[in-house]
Amino acid sequence: PPPMPGLVGSLSSPEAHPLQPRRGETPAEAAARVFDTLATTAADLARRRADTARHLPFGVRDADALLAGGIATGEVCEIVGAGGLGSSIATELCLVAVAQCVGSSDAHAVYLDTSLGFRATRLYELLRERFPAQPREALKARLESQVRVLHAHGLVPLTEAVDGVASELAVAAASGVGWAAKLKLLIVDSAFAPLHAERIEVPGSLAGAQMARLQHALRPLAYPGELAALATTVPIPPPRAAPEPP
């Protein structure tokens, strides 16, 4: 996150340097004064976040109520489910979020599909259900121009895809043009599938390091602007052992 307001300016301005000692001041008093000058409270941070927070609604009453309005921009929202009990539900929520995002505005969405769960036909059905007043050709045009899907079957392709999105966002921020200038939603479905594919449980596997890199990349990607990131993490249950012979 960015430095607290006033921190950089106060340290770089000699005439207002808060670390300058004052006559008759003990080291403890100086430390307390500097801390009070530079520190902020959790309540202040919460108020600042409330003033700037935006949400992308799912359009599902219970989900939006649970998340105080939807997926928060500038954050990474994670859908977690028990192994084998919810991967299809998590993917459905991702598709619902994309449909609501692109159907209600000219916003763009990127869907990073690691588990072969993305279904364009289902996304089109959701658009028709949610926006029946819009002509079918208009909804198909939204799928064509506002939704980009990348199939990343593995941690390395997934992290490379995230890096590619970051590069597109940087170009858009500098030029103000391009599809990434309107990017509002990034989906990673699922963050766990590449771990399973690369067998993270095997000693010496680099999957853990790649996953840490992915986690570190997603938050800064969302934080600077009004991009919301939604990731699913639904473990794949291990195969059942064969029954023992009688």
Side-chain angles (χ1 to χ4, degrees):
M4 289 178 287
L7 177 59
V8 174
S10 62
L11 292 180
S12 60
S13 178
E15 65 275 7
H17 204 306
L19 301 183
Q20 289 290 341
R22 294 179 179 177
R23 183 173 299 177
E25 191 175 50
T26 66
E29 291 171 339
R33 175 175 54 80
V34 170
F35 182 83
D36 289 340
T37 301
L38 301 182
T40 188
T41 68
D44 287 337
L45 292 174
R47 281 191 290 269
R48 292 177 198 168
R49 178 61 184 159
D51 290 341
T52 59
R54 301 290 184 271
H55 293 82
L56 295 181
F58 280 101
V60 178
R61 183 180 60 185
D62 292 343
D64 288 337
L66 186 64
L67 296 173
I71 312 167
T73 60
E75 299 286 351
V76 178
C77 178
E78 186 175 14
I79 300 175
V80 180
L85 297 175
S87 59
S88 60
I89 296 175
T91 296
E92 179 75 1
L93 279 174
C94 290
L95 293 173
V96 166
V98 173
Q100 188 66 27
C101 176
V102 304
S104 60
S105 69
D106 63 348
H108 287 221
V110 169
Y111 200 114
L112 303 183
D113 179 22
T114 69
S115 56
L116 298 177
F118 178 83
R119 294 291 182 269
T121 52
R122 179 55 184 154
L123 180 55
Y124 177 60
E125 290 174 358
L126 288 168
L127 282 170
R128 289 184 57 190
E129 291 171 7
R130 290 168 172 270
F131 305 97
Q134 297 188 32
R136 294 186 179 185
E137 292 306 316
L139 294 177
K140 290 179 181 179
R142 290 187 182 278
L143 289 179
E144 180 71 27
S145 62
Q146 294 175 236
V147 182
R148 283 168 169 77
V149 182
L150 290 84
H151 299 288
H153 306 307
L155 276 172
V156 173
L158 178 56
T159 52
E160 289 176 348
V162 171
D163 290 343
V165 173
S167 298
E168 293 286 349
L169 285 170
V171 171
S175 64
V177 297
W179 65 267
K182 295 182 179 181
L183 181 60
K184 298 299 181 184
L185 179 62
L186 173 65
I187 301 288
V188 180
D189 182 32
S190 97
F192 185 84
L195 287 175
H196 182 78
E198 300 195 19
R199 304 182 66 188
I200 191 173
E201 73 279 2
V202 176
S205 170
L206 297 178
Q210 291 290 346
M211 189 63 180
R213 180 186 170 197
L214 174 65
Q215 292 170 337
H216 282 290
L218 282 176
R219 178 67 190 279
L221 198 64
Y223 187 85
E226 295 188 359
L227 175 67
L230 176 63
T232 66
T233 305
V234 180
I236 301 172
R240 295 181 179 179
E244 296 183 3

